[in-house]
Structure formats: structure tokens, C-alpha cells
Amino acid sequence: MRGGAGMCFASMEAAGSRGMGKGASSRRTARSTAPVGALVERVVVAPAPVEQQRGAGRPEAHPQSVAARAVMTVRRRRKEDAKDRFAEQLDALADRVGRSVLLELVSTETDPRKGTPKKSKPSALVGWFDKKDVKAERVVYTAEFAVDAGFGEPGAVTVLNRHQREFYIESIVVEGFPTGPAHFTCNSWVQPTRVSRDRRVFFSNRPYLPSETPPGLRELRLRELADLRGDGTGERRITDRVYDYDVYNDLGNPDKGVASARPVLGGEQMPYPRRMRTGRPSTATDASAESRVEYPEPIYVSRDEEFEEGKNEMLSEGAIKALLHNFMPLLVSSVSPDIRDFAGFHDVDNLFKEGLRLKQALHDQLFQKIPFVRKIQENSEGLLRYDTPDIIKKDKFAWLRDDEFARQALAGINPVNIERLQAFPPVSKLDPAVYGPPESAITEEHIIGHLDGMSVQEAVEGSRLYMLDYHDIFLPFLDRINAQDGRKAYGTRAVFFLTAAGTLKPIAIELCLPPMTDGCKRAKRVFTPPADATSNWLWQLAKAHVCSNDAGVHQLINHWLRTHACMEPFIIAAHRQMSAMHPIFKLLKPHMRYTLKINALARQILINGDGVIESGFTPGNVCMEMSAFAYRELWRLDQEGLPADLIRRGMAVEDPSQPHGLRLLIEDYPYAADGLLLWSAISRWCEAYVAAYYPSDEAVQADYELQSWYAEAVQSGHADKRGAPWWPRLSTPGDLASLLTTLVWLCSAQHAALNFGQYPLGGYIPNRPPLMRRLVPAEGDPEYAHLVADPHRFFLSALPSLTQTTTFMTVIDTLSTHSADEEYLGERPDEAWTADPAALAAAREFAADVRRAEEEIERRNADPSRRNRCGAGVLPYELMAPSSGPGITCRGVPNSVTI
């Protein structure tokens, strides 16, 4: 399958178009089927020099030699300042006088006399000076070679950059060999010799298992991996390409004082996954803490992990919007402290209708102190006003209803915590000697009137009771959370009943505090659906606390920990242990895009001490300790796949008669039902791909790069859990396909479901407050009278302040945004990613599977019998719909964790 002549670009494209058929996604751009050289030259507006057109400068071909040509596509920066343009001109002049870029071809064969790889003579890249003023984003250059007729097939190209600046190679195509064009997908920055004197190596798109590596490429394969691993010492430079591990010891800054210090995540005391090593020096006051690089100063990731221009432009636009959105609330609260809280719901609504408008007296006060305020407001009117979140577009008051509160547990931002109640009452797993009796305070008397005539035991046995349980994750941290200024939390449990219509309704909420004394009645309070006005507002406050805990668990555990942090070790290990030629690396490559960079940025501004997460969520400065607690107690890779997770939570049972091998106990569970469509498509794709390369168990076990990748990801990347007995085996093709399915699922569909609904579904803060500032008052408390006297104002005062609200909304606005360069599930924009026809055919079938899943999701969203996604004012569930345009769309499944 992997032998034989290389497949030419035109025939690959033709095969691809046949496989795609008439149903090809409109998101794909039509591509030419012209020969490679002609295709890439089209992007250049300047003609080649006359002497080059006549053949001048081409190495003379001996009768027994092959005249070959390398066509290199370089992607230029779209935006350059005067300094960059001047440096480009200097490089062009240097190229003119001989300081050119040199290419060298490396054969797949070795010289039988020397035993070394066959190589061409270095050839200078032609056209850099002549095309220095070309305005196209992609510019094509060529190099000519004359090699012996027995040279064989080119398997690698080396590049030596003798200019002063780095440049980005998109691809190289070598033409002229009997085997047909050889494609080299590069997508990499090449550093100048003043930074690195080593030649960069790029392998062809032909996949090779380690045991099948052609003799001429074996040494290069090993050397390239050694370069990527580095030696584990020294501080990394921004231009480096080294991948290595470290603990999370850069989230705090002890040099600023004890309050700014944060514990090290990773190690025996606080287990956590490992992150990308930077090698920065320690802080002055704590040798275990690494010194910080504050945003916007660049933090190290391997050079090719940096965002491309399109992504940077999206983030820059978000930063400007964030600056303007946050500037006015901060300014207002500093000048007029009395309006730091919302006076009524109309103040929240005005953020979407009018933006933040200032009273005339405050206008005058600000204009006297800061003259440019008027200019900001005049020029940025649109940016100061927030987009209306989807959650209130169709029904402004839906969030107040109990059925909507329950529906969001199945089809909201965090649909992965709802679990079936399999025993009553719920019981804590925490130490009762420390946290009191483990049994929940919810009794049969609390819920019996809401079970449609069933007994509690009948409801449990009939799979009719469900729960959101945030008791054990919060209770150990509550004393420290509630000691922080303006933060109040409980350990919460919310119990739901599954109605005959297939929807959930909340029937009890338990709010728990650590017991102050034995038998303390206030430690556990139970609320049930209201019967009067006062109990209605107490019920709304109890729901708000459940939502706040749900928001914290969503962000700290399900989103950050499970799809960002826990995936990073697998990505680092893949680059360190698997060659770019490895077929499994080729499968994983689109699912690793941007993740290391976005995780590095998170350490700078999101999960760091006093960062966005600590500032915006109730746990405050214990946020990351809670994340580490969840990693230690809950995270298991063998339960991260969708079917295993659904069975673990009791939301499904195995059933071979069902399409996906299991039966959902809540049939209309949009996240799970749609997720299974994508899970099955990913599973079939991985199984077909693995079968093409591993015909036996022995083939999997003998692949030392594959085994080294998985072993290192476990032993080094998840070092604190390396001895756990539950790690999946990697001994058979089935094991490998299952592992790959889980990793691809987590990086694509699972992350999308947890990320891209954050602003559309969570941007209206009363619906889902990320932070609570008040406990629920009990009768007799001083605050109880305030609640009764002005329930609206009391409720809003328990939610985030004006500044906290606008800051949080701005952050989730950016996090929910698709950039224009997003690549979605089933898409491989580079059609020359592999030369293997069988792999290309499997990829086309995968793309077709994904399209069919999207069509089924559209049908489900129009089905009125599915009340959790269709009905009056009910939002359709589109977070698993694979395609999307740029911006905030509340849909779209990118290939990787890109934001």
C-alpha cells in the first residue's frame, strides 16, 4: 500500500473530488487540478527573470543524469512595519550577491560505496531578489538540480537559510523524477544561520513506519527527533523548536509578596499534568517557582506552534474590544463607587441595547478629569455595546424557568456533569470525621410530591432521578473560598426528575457548608420548588449557586483540565517521539494545532494568580488547587471517551442492538446524542486508518516510535499518575484505534461542546453567574429583611459586580470566537498531507461521515418531539454541528483546541 511510485498532485485531486461527490461542503475552496509547478506559480504576479525563462543558470544535465526542479512556496507576512520591509530588502540584496538560500535533495537510497545517503549538490534558490516587491501572500521560488540517474526517489529536502531573517515555508514540490512529483508539506519557520547553523530537514509526504524507513532517511529521522527533544537544559529561545516537560510552577509571582505566590501544580503534593518547558530562571524569593513572562511579552513554545497571522488578528481585535469594554466600567466604578452594582435588570439589559451610557453629571465629571473619554465613546460606540447572547434572543425570561434551568444541564455549556441518581439519598465520599455525616439532607419528604405519583424507590429503579453533584469538589475548599472578600459558595446538589415528556424538572437543591458544630442545622439546607413569593426568590438564589458551581467546574475541570491541560503531554510526546513521517503523527497533526500556544497564553493571563479565572469565578485564589484536586481524584484516560463517560455517569447502558452500542436513558440528551454521531465517525476513521498500517498485534508492539510516544506521555507527561492500573493498553490495532479516537474526540468535539457556547449561552450573567457574592439568607438573618424588601436588588447584589460582569463577558466573547483560519473536523486543507491513496480514501469517507452527522443534527433541531432542542423560545443545539463561519456562532467543531 505504501510502496510504488508517488501519486501526482493532479491525480490526487481528481481522486479527492470523486470521493467528495456533489455533497462537498461549501466551506471548501475549489482547487485547480493543474500540475504542481503551474499551480503554485499562479500566486505570484511577477514573472521570472528572462534569463531563467531561457534556461540560463540551470545545471547542465549529463546524458545519464536527471534534471530536477524544486518549487518552494513561501508565505509572507501580510502586515509588516517599515523595519520588516527594510530587513526584507536587505535580504534580497544579500541574496543577489550570493548569500542565498540553499536547498539539497536527499535520496531514500544510500550510496553502496560510502554507505551514506545519496545527496544532490546544494542549489541556490532563484528569484528572491527579483520578487522582493511582490505583494502576494504566497511567493514561489525555484531551485534547479542535476543528479545521477541512479539517485532514486527524493525523500527529504534540507534548507539552509543564509539570509538575516527567518521565513515560513509552506511547501516544496520536487519535479523531474521518474517516480513523479515529490511533495513536502513544510508549514514551518526556517531560522537564519546566525540563529542556527543546522540545515532544516523536511521529509516527503510519503508515510513510513520506523521499520520501513528507507536506508537514506534513517539517520535523518533519528537526528530530527533528537533535535526536537533537546537536552533538557538551558532557557529556551523564542526561535527554538525543542519540546520538553515541566511542572506548573509559573502561575504565581512570589517576588511580589506572599499573596501573589501560588503552589506548584505537578508532583507528589499536588498531582497535575505537565506543561511545555521554558527553562526560565527561578524567582528571587522561591527557587521552586519559575519567573514569569507577563503578557504581551512572548512566552516560549516551539516556533512552529505559534499562531498564524489570521489567528493573531482575531485575538488582536478581541484585545481592542476587551480594552474598550473594560475601560469604561473600570472608569465609572473608580469615579462613582455607588454604581458598581446593578440597580435592576434593566442595567444588565442596557449592556446589550445601549452599551454603558453615563449619566450627564458623571459625563461632566469624567470629561473634566479625562478629556479623551468623550472621544472614546464617540468613536467606539459599537464596541462598547455587547452582542445580545443567544440565550435571551428567543425568550428573554426563559432563564427564570425551572425547565430551562434543567434543560441547560443536557444542552447547555456544561452538559457533562449530569448523572443518574442510582441510590437515595446521595452520599458523599469525603471523610466524615472532617466533613460530617456523608448522607445528603434531601429526604423522601422533600421530593415525594414531585414524582408523578411514584415512590422514591420506583423513581430510582426506573431511571427517573438525576443529579448535578458539586458537593465533594467544593466542600474541602469552602472555608478558604468564603474567607475571600466578596465570594460566597456552598457545596451543592441539585436533584431532577425525568418527566414523561422527556424533559427534566428540578425538585430539590441542597446547599452545604462545613459544619461549625456537631449537628449544625445551617450546614445543610434543602430548597424545593417555591410555593410563594419569598420562597421563589430563595429558590432563584439556590439555583444561582448551583449555576455558579457548575460554571466553576465547567471552566476549571471539564474545559481547562480535561481538554487543554491533559492533552498537552500527548502533544509534546508526539513531537518528541514520532517522526513527521510516521503515519500516526500525520493523523494527529491537525488535532494538535495551536494547543500548546493557547495553553501557554492561558498560563500568562487566564489560570495565573489574579488572572481571569481567579478574578471571575467564585473559588478565586483556590481555583487551580480545585483543578488539581479533580485531576488527582477523578481524571482517568480510560473514562474520557464519550461512551465510557456516559456509562460512568449512568446516563447510558450498553446495548449492542443500538447504532452506537449503547442506549441513552434520556433519549433527548442533545450533547450525548449528537456527540455519539461524531464519536462514531471519528472511531470509524481511526479504525480504517490504523488497519492500513498495522495488520497484526505484533506490528503495533514492534513500532518503537509509537510505543515511546505513549509511554512518555504517561510516564513523563502524566508522571503523577503513571502507576495507575487503569491506563489503556497499547498492544493491538484495536487498542491504538481506541486511544486515537479518544484523543481526537477530546481535542475536537468535546472541546467545542465546552467552549464555543460560552458567550452565546453564558453571556447573560443572571442566567449563569460565574461568581456569587452572597449566601442565601435564612429567616432571622439581617440580610433576610433586605431580600424581602427589595428582592431584585438583593438578587443582583449576590451576582458579580458591574466591573466583574463586563470583564467576564469580554473574556468569554473572545473564547467563543472562531478565527477565519479555523480548520474544522473532517477538513484537511493541505490535500498533499500524505501520499498514501488508501489513507486519502479513508479521509474522504471520514469527511462524508461528518457531513452526514451535520445533516442529522439539523433534522433533530427541527423535530418538535425533541423538547430539549426545539420548541417555543428553545435554542437549537448546534455545538456539535461541525461547520461554522468565523466569529461567535455557537456551533462549529475545530480539529483542535485552538482557543
Side-chain angles (χ1 to χ4, degrees):
M1 166 185 157
R2 293 178 296 283
M7 199 177 187
C8 77
F9 187 95
S11 62
M12 283 170 59
E13 174 61 37
S17 60
R18 285 195 299 272
M20 296 293 290
K22 293 182 180 179
S25 169
S26 60
R27 289 179 279 117
R28 299 182 183 275
T29 304
R31 288 176 170 86
S32 169
T33 57
V36 176
L39 176 70
V40 290
E41 286 286 2
R42 256 180 223 152
V43 299
V44 186
V45 294
V50 174
E51 60 271 18
Q52 184 181 328
Q53 295 178 25
R54 293 172 179 164
R58 178 189 290 265
E60 184 178 349
H62 188 273
Q64 292 185 340
S65 67
V66 173
R69 181 186 190 220
V71 181
M72 177 190 289
T73 302
V74 171
R75 187 192 303 168
R76 288 183 174 176
R77 293 180 176 89
R78 290 200 292 264
K79 295 180 180 179
E80 291 190 325
D81 56 25
K83 181 180 177 181
D84 290 329
R85 289 192 294 272
F86 180 70
E88 172 64 23
Q89 294 297 316
L90 286 181
D91 274 346
L93 290 170
D95 192 273
R96 180 89 169 192
V97 298
R99 295 289 298 172
S100 53
V101 176
L102 298 180
L103 271 64
E104 183 181 64
L105 304 182
V106 182
S107 173
T108 57
E109 301 175 8
T110 55
D111 187 322
R113 293 171 299 171
K114 301 178 181 178
T116 57
K118 296 178 181 179
K119 297 180 181 179
S120 71
K121 292 181 179 179
S123 178
L125 206 61
V126 176
W128 205 283
F129 178 82
D130 301 289
K131 299 179 181 181
K132 66 182 185 299
D133 297 320
V134 169
K135 302 301 181 185
E137 183 180 357
R138 291 171 176 81
V139 183
V140 173
Y141 307 99
T142 59
E144 310 290 345
F145 300 89
V147 297
D148 187 85
F151 182 83
E153 181 182 353
V157 176
T158 69
V159 181
L160 188 67
N161 176 10
R162 299 193 295 175
H163 292 170
Q164 290 298 303
R165 296 201 312 164
E166 65 178 5
F167 60 84
Y168 187 87
I169 305 179
E170 199 167 78
S171 66
I172 300 172
V173 180
V174 178
E175 301 170 308
F177 286 88
T179 51
H183 296 260
F184 300 78
T185 300
C186 306
N187 292 321
S188 182
W189 292 96
V190 178
Q191 300 303 318
T193 50
R194 65 179 178 81
V195 173
S196 173
R197 303 200 65 81
D198 296 331
R199 294 176 179 271
R200 278 298 308 280
V201 178
F202 297 102
F203 297 106
S204 78
N205 64 347
R206 190 179 298 281
Y208 295 106
L209 294 173
S211 61
E212 298 173 337
T213 310
L217 303 180
R218 288 172 188 163
E219 181 184 345
L220 282 179
R221 183 171 188 150
L222 294 174
R223 192 185 82 190
E224 176 73 358
L225 284 174
D227 289 344
L228 292 171
R229 285 193 288 268
D231 61 7
T233 64
E235 183 174 356
R236 298 268 64 89
R237 299 175 299 175
I238 294 298
T239 54
D240 288 350
R241 299 172 56 238
V242 175
Y243 295 80
D244 206 352
Y245 304 94
D246 208 343
V247 294
Y248 282 75
N249 60 352
D250 62 344
L251 301 183
N253 188 350
D255 291 348
K256 287 185 174 181
V258 176
S260 296
R262 294 295 182 273
V264 174
L265 304 187
E268 187 176 341
Q269 288 188 330
M270 204 165 289
Y272 213 63
R274 300 304 190 256
R275 49 92 170 176
M276 179 77 116
R277 179 185 177 275
T278 68
R280 296 193 303 272
S282 300
T283 61
T285 54
D286 185 350
S288 67
E290 186 174 274
S291 56
R292 285 185 53 76
V293 175
E294 301 295 351
Y295 185 82
E297 289 299 313
I299 186 171
Y300 175 76
V301 290
S302 180
R303 182 66 182 97
D304 290 336
E305 303 295 332
E306 290 285 348
F307 293 147
E308 296 179 20
E309 273 192 291
K311 187 74 170 181
N312 277 323
E313 288 170 3
M314 183 275 285
L315 291 174
S316 295
E317 291 169 4
I320 294 171
K321 187 187 292 187
L323 179 67
L324 292 168
H325 273 152
N326 292 330
F327 176 78
M328 294 303 287
L330 286 169
L331 199 60
V332 170
S333 63
S334 66
V335 175
S336 183
D338 59 311
I339 61 169
R340 286 178 182 168
D341 289 336
F342 294 105
F345 286 101
H346 60 276
D347 283 350
V348 183
D349 296 341
N350 282 343
L351 292 174
F352 313 114
K353 292 179 180 178
E354 302 176 357
L356 192 68
R357 294 196 174 277
L358 310 178
K359 296 178 182 178
Q360 190 59 47
L362 186 55
H363 258 140
D364 298 340
Q365 189 177 359
L366 287 175
F367 292 153
Q368 289 171 9
K369 292 185 177 182
I370 310 172
F372 64 86
V373 169
R374 184 193 300 275
K375 201 69 177 174
I376 289 178
Q377 193 164 12
E378 287 174 355
N379 293 344
S380 309
E381 196 70 41
L383 290 175
L384 286 172
R385 186 169 57 248
Y386 290 86
D387 295 329
T388 302
D390 291 8
I391 197 69
I392 57 170
K393 278 183 179 177
K394 295 183 73 173
D395 186 345
K396 182 179 176 181
F397 302 107
W399 67 276
L400 285 165
R401 298 198 315 265
D402 284 356
D403 64 289
E404 177 62 17
F405 169 71
R407 190 191 71 84
Q408 290 184 34
L410 300 173
I413 304 170
N414 188 41
V416 299
N417 275 100
I418 187 76
E419 60 183 291
R420 181 163 54 92
L421 191 57
Q422 301 183 52
F424 188 87
V427 177
S428 169
K429 296 179 181 178
L430 297 174
D431 183 356
V434 178
Y435 299 104
E439 293 81 13
S440 167
I442 301 174
T443 65
E444 186 167 345
E445 288 72 25
H446 286 122
I447 65 173
I448 192 68
H450 303 281
L451 303 182
D452 291 356
M454 303 174 73
S455 70
V456 172
Q457 190 61 29
E458 288 172 336
V460 169
E461 293 175 355
S463 301
R464 303 290 290 275
L465 290 179
Y466 294 82
M467 177 173 60
L468 286 176
D469 188 353
Y470 301 130
H471 178 276
D472 287 8
I473 189 68
F474 269 86
L475 205 66
F477 300 93
L478 284 181
D479 286 338
R480 293 168 62 194
I481 292 172
N482 291 334
Q484 298 175 61
D485 186 38
R487 294 169 193 272
K488 293 293 180 280
Y490 297 93
T492 62
R493 293 186 180 101
V495 177
F496 303 86
F497 177 71
L498 179 63
T499 69
T503 59
L504 293 176
K505 66 176 182 179
I507 58 175
I509 292 174
E510 181 180 19
L511 304 182
C512 301
L513 293 171
M516 302 295 291
T517 59
D518 290 340
C520 176
K521 293 183 179 180
R522 295 176 66 100
K524 296 181 178 182
R525 298 172 63 192
V526 177
F527 298 84
T528 55
D532 56 44
T534 302
S535 62
N536 178 72
W537 282 103
L538 292 171
W539 177 248
Q540 293 296 344
L541 284 166
K543 288 195 299 183
H545 273 282
V546 172
C547 288
S548 177
N549 283 5
D550 187 74
V553 169
H554 161 259
Q555 198 68 269
L556 300 170
I557 299 169
N558 298 329
H559 181 201
W560 164 255
L561 174 65
R562 294 171 65 186
T563 68
H564 283 258
C566 287
M567 292 300 99
E568 184 157 345
F570 290 97
I571 296 172
I572 295 173
H575 286 90
R576 286 169 53 86
Q577 299 297 341
M578 284 197 291
S579 167
M581 289 188 282
H582 200 292
I584 300 304
F585 185 90
K586 288 180 177 293
L587 180 144
L588 287 174
K589 187 173 176 59
H591 305 291
M592 303 188 289
R593 184 180 187 232
Y594 289 162
T595 304
L596 296 182
K597 177 62 176 180
I598 204 67
N599 285 4
L601 279 176
R603 301 204 314 274
Q604 284 189 297
I605 59 177
L606 291 178
I607 65 171
N608 58 301
D610 297 321
V612 169
I613 300 297
E614 284 193 5
S615 301
F617 290 86
T618 302
N621 58 23
V622 300
C623 275
M624 295 310 294
E625 291 182 56
M626 287 182 64
S627 184
F629 176 82
Y631 177 70
R632 186 185 71 200
E633 299 294 329
L634 304 174
W635 187 82
R636 295 177 47 160
L637 183 63
D638 64 327
Q639 294 184 349
E640 287 296 285
L642 179 60
D645 178 58
L646 292 171
I647 290 170
R648 176 185 63 84
R649 291 188 281 123
M651 300 302 292
V653 293
E654 293 185 20
D655 186 344
S657 69
Q658 295 296 307
H660 308 289
L662 48 76
R663 176 171 56 86
L664 293 176
L665 296 181
I666 300 179
E667 185 178 349
D668 185 20
Y669 181 3
Y671 157 80
D674 294 358
L676 286 169
L677 294 175
L678 297 186
W679 171 270
S680 296
I682 294 168
S683 178
R684 285 190 292 271
W685 154 239
C686 291
E687 288 171 1
Y689 192 90
V690 166
Y693 296 96
Y694 298 95
S696 66
D697 296 356
E698 291 74 21
V700 173
Q701 296 162 18
D703 186 341
Y704 64 84
E705 284 188 6
L706 179 74
Q707 295 294 335
S708 296
W709 161 63
Y710 186 51
E712 184 177 281
V714 174
Q715 299 292 326
S716 299
H718 288 276
D720 305 322
K721 283 181 171 280
R722 61 179 176 267
W726 43 255
W727 284 102
R729 293 168 56 85
L730 186 54
S731 302
T732 69
D735 293 342
L736 176 55
S738 176
L739 173 63
L740 294 172
T741 300
T742 297
L743 295 179
V744 172
W745 159 260
L746 291 169
C747 293
S748 59
Q750 178 78 328
H751 177 260
L754 295 168
N755 184 76
F756 292 103
Q758 291 191 78
Y759 187 84
L761 306 182
Y764 186 69
I765 298 303
N767 171 61
R768 186 180 169 78
L771 183 152
M772 293 297 287
R773 295 187 291 157
R774 291 181 184 270
L775 296 174
V776 181
E779 195 166 1
D781 292 345
E783 288 193 335
Y784 190 84
H786 297 159
L787 169 67
V788 173
D790 194 343
H792 280 217
R793 187 179 285 270
F794 186 92
F795 181 84
L796 288 170
S797 72
L799 272 51
S801 68
L802 170 65
T803 304
Q804 290 169 329
T805 294
T806 54
T807 300
F808 179 77
M809 288 168 61
T810 301
V811 170
I812 61 173
D813 178 290
T814 300
L815 294 179
S816 304
T817 301
H818 289 294
S819 58
D821 70 342
E822 204 86 272
E823 296 171 5
Y824 295 94
L825 193 66
E827 291 186 346
R828 297 286 298 235
D830 176 19
E831 285 146 351
W833 64 275
T834 181
D836 190 333
L840 290 168
R844 288 192 293 273
E845 182 56 36
F846 174 47
D849 263 359
V850 171
R851 286 196 302 276
R852 286 189 287 269
E854 182 158 2
E855 291 165 0
E856 174 60 23
I857 290 169
E858 290 176 3
R859 283 192 289 270
R860 290 174 177 179
N861 282 328
D863 182 354
S865 69
R866 298 178 182 268
R867 292 178 172 87
N868 291 317
R869 63 197 305 162
C870 183
V874 176
L875 291 177
Y877 188 75
E878 296 182 307
L879 288 169
M880 290 286 185
S883 69
S884 176
I888 299 175
T889 63
C890 203
R891 61 176 292 142
V893 179
N895 277 322
S896 60
V897 178
T898 60
I899 190 68

